[in-house]
Structures are given as C-alpha cells and as structure tokens.
Amino acid sequence: GQSLEQPSEVTAVEGAIVQINCTYQTSGFYGLSWYQQHDGGAPTFLSYNALDGLEETGRFSSFLSRSDSYGYLLLQELQMKDSASYFCAVNTGFQKLVFGTGTRLLVSP
Amino acid sequence: GAVVSQHPSRVICKSGTSVKIECRSLDFQATTMFWYRQFPKKSLMLMATSNEGSKATYEQGVEKDKFLINHASLTLSTLTVTSAHPEDSSFYICSASKTAGGADTQYFGPGTRLTVL
C-alpha cells in the first residue's frame, strides 16, 4: 500500500518556528509537495522537492531526504493566518499525487 | 496565472438525482485534470485522472459508472455523480496540470460541496 504519515495537530504561537514532518512509503516517487488548505477552501501549493535538500520560499522551507523517505515543512515567523491544514503529497508518477494524512496547525497569539 | 475554477461551489440534491460538477482551467490549457474527494477533516483521495480526449483512469474502489468523468476540451472537465445517495455527500475538488507527466505542479479548484438529502 501507499502511506504518508504526518502529525495530526501542531500548536504554536505567533512569531515562532514550527516543523511539520512527513514520512512516506509509496510505490513510486518523483517528488514531495506541500499544500496548505484553510477550512472549506482549496489546497494551495507551497513547495516542491524532487531532490534531497532544502528549498526555501519566503517564510516557508521544505526539506527532503529520499534515502530516509522523509521530508518536512518549516514555517518561520508564524502568523495567525498560517492556521490551516498542511498536507504533504508524493508524486508517484504521471502526476498522480498521494496525499498525507494532514496536519492541523493552530497558531495562537 | 494558473487559475482553476469549479462550478457550482455548493449543491444540495435529492437522493437518486444526478449532479454535474464543472472544472475549468481559466488561463492555461490543462492536458490532465484530476478529481479528488475529501471528507471533513480528512485527506484528499484521488478518484480519477482525466486526460483530454481519452477515457478517465479511475482509482481502485471508485465506481466509474457512478462517477462519470468527461474531459472534452483542454480547459474543461466534468464530474457527474449519478443516482446520488447521502453517502456521496462530500467535498469534491478538481486540479489541473499543464503537462501529462513529470513533476509539474497541480493547480486546484476551489472545490464543490455536495450534500445529498
């Protein structure tokens, strides 16, 4: 089977740094993506890693280790608007995405 | 760029009726479109992959006769839920990709919340 495991919930305060981990086991792997989804809204693309290492995009960074089947999303300088669900997703081939279980991030003042 | 729209955003229907959901790529041609289903506070589950001009590829466990997908043009894909039942109530989300393979980003529509009474 295919599985992507994430913590179910993470809490943090404004201005803090938080890391959301993702471990995966899939039949194919072309890259790891991260998406943000606010309640009732559509997933929005945050970042993509095809190769090992760190990708930085503003306050968000994403890391991938293919040998460990592991990645994480790092959110810095947290803001209230960052409260949302975050999903990792593996491109298993032909653009098919398998999504992780999702992590609900709660940012408090 | 890369905007995807869905219509309707919400729909309520009676059990036994059919509902059509449209997914459009507004500013690009989508070689491939995908349909997902999401239950409350759960992850997105891929239902099917739709390529323009060819039959959709359904994921295991998804009834192709119940969830009819048509990808008639490079900017439009439709999902029809036939003979809907309350257990079909869910959030349906489409996404579109500019390429047919590789590592391109998928662009998601805003979703359609279906409630079957």
Side-chain angles (χ1 to χ4, degrees):
Chain A
Q2 313 208 82
S3 69
L4 286 82
E5 297 294 327
Q6 301 177 233
S8 59
E9 188 172 291
V10 174
T11 58
V13 297
E14 272 188 302
I17 300 173
V18 73
Q19 178 174 314
I20 299 174
N21 298 321
C22 173
T23 56
Y24 60 87
Q25 188 174 13
T26 58
S27 56
F29 183 87
Y30 285 80
L32 183 71
S33 302
W34 288 91
Y35 289 84
Q36 179 192 63
Q37 186 181 33
H38 287 96
D39 286 346
T44 54
F45 173 77
L46 293 177
S47 69
Y48 177 77
N49 295 69
L51 302 176
D52 289 354
L54 190 68
E55 293 283 340
E56 297 181 71
T57 310
R59 295 189 296 117
F60 296 169
S61 302
S62 58
F63 172 83
L64 173 65
S65 169
R66 288 175 299 170
S67 60
D68 295 324
S69 298
Y70 164 76
Y72 66 72
L73 178 70
L74 191 72
L75 298 86
Q76 303 182 73
E77 300 174 17
L78 280 175
Q79 302 174 8
M80 295 294 289
K81 67 178 182 179
D82 297 329
S83 292
S85 292
Y86 292 83
F87 294 91
C88 60
V90 166
N91 180 346
T92 59
F94 298 100
Q95 302 267 346
K96 288 178 62 171
L97 290 179
V98 178
F99 279 81
T101 50
T103 298
R104 193 169 183 83
L105 171 63
L106 301 173
V107 181
S108 57
Chain B
V3 178
V4 176
S5 70
Q6 276 185 247
H7 177 80
S9 58
R10 291 177 178 271
V11 58
I12 301 173
C13 69
K14 293 182 179 180
S15 186
T17 60
S18 295
V19 174
K20 179 184 283 189
I21 302 170
E22 292 186 347
C23 176
R24 293 181 185 273
S25 56
L26 299 184
D27 53 359
F28 67 100
Q29 293 187 323
T31 304
T32 308
M33 286 184 169
F34 302 86
W35 287 96
Y36 295 84
R37 183 174 182 176
Q38 186 177 33
F39 291 104
K41 301 189 187 303
K42 297 294 185 183
S43 188
L44 286 80
M45 301 297 296
L46 179 65
M47 300 173 65
T49 303
S50 167
N51 290 295
E52 187 266 339
S54 62
K55 290 184 179 180
T57 303
Y58 290 81
E59 294 300 301
Q60 192 172 13
V62 178
E63 299 176 60
K64 62 180 181 180
D65 294 329
K66 179 167 186 61
F67 299 99
L68 300 178
I69 291 172
N70 183 274
H71 194 159
S73 75
L74 285 171
T75 58
L76 173 64
S77 177
T78 60
L79 167 69
T80 301
V81 183
T82 62
S83 187
H85 290 284
E87 57 265 30
D88 299 323
S89 298
S90 189
F91 194 48
Y92 291 88
I93 308 174
C94 73
S95 71
S97 171
K98 298 176 183 177
T99 63
D104 194 17
T105 302
Q106 288 186 26
Y107 301 95
F108 285 81
T112 296
R113 187 162 301 284
L114 170 64
T115 303
V116 184
L117 303 176

